[in-house]
Amino acid sequence: MASGGGYRNGNHKSPNLRTSKSKLSPSTSNVRRCSNVSTLGIADAVSGRVRVAVRLRPRNAEELAADADFADCVELQPELKRLKLRKNNWDTDVYEFDEILTESASQKRVYEVVAKPVVQSVLEGYNGTVMAYGQTGTGKTYTLGQLGEEDPSARGIMVRSMEEILANTCLETDSVSVSYLQLYMETIQDLLNPANDNIAIIEDQISGDISLPGATVVEVRDHQSFLELLQLGEGHRYAANTRMNTESSRSHAILMVHIKKSVSEIESDLTGEYDISSHPALNFKPPMLRKGKLVLVDLAGSERVLKSGSEGLVLEEAKSINLSLSALGKCINALAENSAHVPFRDSKLTRLLKDSFGGTSRTSLVVTIGPSSCHRAETASTILFGQRAMKVENVLKIKEECDYKSLCKGLQVQVDKLIAENERQQKSFEDEVKKIRLEAQKHISEAEGNYAEELKEEKLKCQMEYMESIKKLEEKMLNQQQHPSNGITDGTYLGEGQKGFCTEEVTELKKLLHNEIKIRKAAEEETNKLKDQIMKFSEPELKGGNSDIVNLQKVLEEETRQKKRLEEEVNILKSQLSHLTLHAGLIRNSPDRDGNGSLLSGLDSPSPLRHLPYKDSNNGERGAITYLHGQVGLHKILSLLESEDACVQIHAVKVIANLAAEEANQEKIVEAGGLSSLLILLRSSEDETIRRIAAGAIANLAMNEANQELIMAQGGVGLLAMTASDAEDPQTLRMVAGAIANLCGNDKLQIGLRSEGGIRALLGMVRSRHPDVLSQVARGLANFAKCESRSSAQGTKTGRSLLIEDGALPWIIKNANNEASLIRRHVELALCHLAQHEENARDMISGGALWELCRISRECTRDDIRALARRTLGSSTTFLAEMRRIHIEL
């Protein structure tokens, strides 16, 4: 092992355990007791007194070889919780402790009697401290910090404590975080971040609590991550080789575990009906949050320079260790004697342990001793330290506070429920009002119809009676004219008699006319009466007046319009169905050619189609499209893109898209204005199918470099971005992403593609989560990153990647290990190309890309990508420096 400046590896081998051979003399000397010492074990204690256990280390090989007649200086009586220290061959001192652990005591028993009660108290919201004190080489680090990688039964208190904490906390509601520090030469250093080598101690002036705001705090989610943290910290801890111990700790190690545990949930979940008489907040009790802190302290061992042979830096380290332990002993003495002044500020160690001795923490101390009589003085000093520590009383205080964050979250959930319930009731009320209005309107319409029918019948009856009266009068007048001698009898003129008869006729006619007038007036009065009744019936039914009737009429008109629109859509669908059927017939059959050889002319003619044999079923549709192109001509097909019939447009754009898939047709399509027509169609059409096929056709044309510049010049990137933001169909997004991905492979279009929103459109399409869409997005990012890497190598580009500036890096890192191989391959290429530019290295390191690059260089299934990742990491000075800092080998 190196000198005092070297690091220790944290791996300890379990010592050979044996059964104690010491015996208790019948004539024992005076027993030294502490007045407030209880004979109960640590696990049964409930007071705030510091609990002390003694653990005896078995003899090592050096001690066995030194003296064949070796006699232990201590004798243990674990059943009586006593320890006998031999002064000489005939005299011994007897001490009582809370627990006596023999050299054969297992690590599990040590944990259960020393640390488990403290851990349980911490889980209940108290502060707790477990500390190991003793001479160097007596097994303090083995007791506390043994990892147990080779032998699980050798796990120390640190590992077992974390196992119990994780087993009794819920990852969803509770949190567990750790800090790992060392006090070296009166300097507090961070074992998880060695660069943080001078951490200040902050003391709250009001509460007196000690905190280390500069220390690294890491949240622990599982046991394996905690073991990795311990291994990392142990690797940074100072150790040295002395005569007393080959791996002597040269610093005090302090592991702080912070626990936040939720102890109360929302008492009741208001799932019933909303009662306006009770306030929602009254149904909640603030959930309580308990905060506990567990401090595990592995003190460096006290040593005598003459025995350890320390010199140089190791000697200075020994002086610092002994001074800090001496300061701790002074504080223990002052507390045990109830002194008015306790010198906590004499050392940073005592300041850190202020809460553990005389504070609010539940403290357990395990003192480790050796059996050798050569070190009897050190053993006696250690035992006396433990005896004094047992006199220290702590006042345990639970740290419990209201979890207002959880309460706020619960209240927000309740508010959302009440809002939803209110909206449902409001909707139900509006539906009920609408129903009542419709029923009232129906009653009014029925009443108006009934009264109008009765009025019409009454009016018709009056008219008929009037006409009948007129007809009778005319008949009488006609009879009067045809028989003028009615007033002459036997040639004798009647004179006054005849005159009286005429007067009676006139009187009768006047009466009839008067009766007709009365009947008409009565009919008019009846009509007015009916109108009044209609108005009286309307008023109670429609309190809203004419405005409600107008609203109802508007609703009826709107429903009528919707019905017409639906009928139109049905007609359009029927038309599309007929066109699709006709299109399928075109694929399967060859039509009769008329005189001018036009294929499209047969579509409108009623002439039947002749069935021709189908030679190849796989390329039938492509053959039909080629045949259509040859017979009709490209210009005629492009003109159909402007048709008002959406079905015709769909067929036409399908033909263009299939033609654009062949490189031989692309130049002809562009020269004929096909690209412009497709962009116009993409801009103006509202049909999802048309836009999807048009985007696919543009993607096919974008495979040609010359066409890519034309697409950019005509604003095609902006149209594709707009289509991507509006579309939700995965197939449409796949076509748009494919088109933009093809454009990303052109070095000349990088800046323009980004300024017109192409990159942001690609990133926006990941919302679909469809693997085909994500594959095209990943391909586009890989193409863009490759072009940027090429430009940086040629010196035509400086500065950070445009992809990083647009926020693409988090998505790339997240999907670097995607389950879909095609997505993963593109993303891995994008990462490698981004890493080739040195100015991207810092952003990639801070974002976590370095870990993915290391994984790619080791685990990627593609040899070329794996080699590219290794070459990229090896050529970057920034990456290499970071890898050296975190101890990662390429």
Side-chain angles (χ1 to χ4, degrees), residues 14 106-108 142 146 148-156 160:
S14 175
S106 66
Q107 290 282 71
K108 181 179 180 181
Y142 175 78
Q146 181 71 5
E149 294 176 324
E150 299 179 357
D151 183 7
S153 64
R155 303 191 310 280
R160 294 178 185 269

Side-chain angles (χ1 to χ4, degrees), residues 742-761:
N742 289 338
L743 296 174
C744 287
N746 193 322
D747 295 347
K748 303 175 183 178
L749 308 181
Q750 298 278 295
I751 297 177
L753 190 64
R754 187 232 184 173
S755 62
E756 295 189 19
I759 302 303
R760 293 191 180 276

Side-chain angles (χ1 to χ4, degrees), residues 155-201:
R155 303 191 310 280
I157 290 177
M158 289 182 178
V159 177
R160 294 178 185 269
S161 299
M162 184 55 66
E163 288 176 354
E164 181 159 356
I165 290 172
L166 292 176
N168 289 276
T169 54
C170 178
L171 295 180
E172 297 179 356
T173 59
D174 307 334
S175 68
V176 180
S177 56
V178 299
S179 298
Y180 201 11
L181 313 169
Q182 70 174 351
L183 179 60
Y184 175 72
M185 301 283 284
E186 283 300 301
T187 302
I188 300 176
Q189 301 177 359
D190 197 332
L191 290 176
L192 302 181
N193 183 13
N196 192 8
D197 57 358
N198 191 9
I199 300 174
I201 300 176

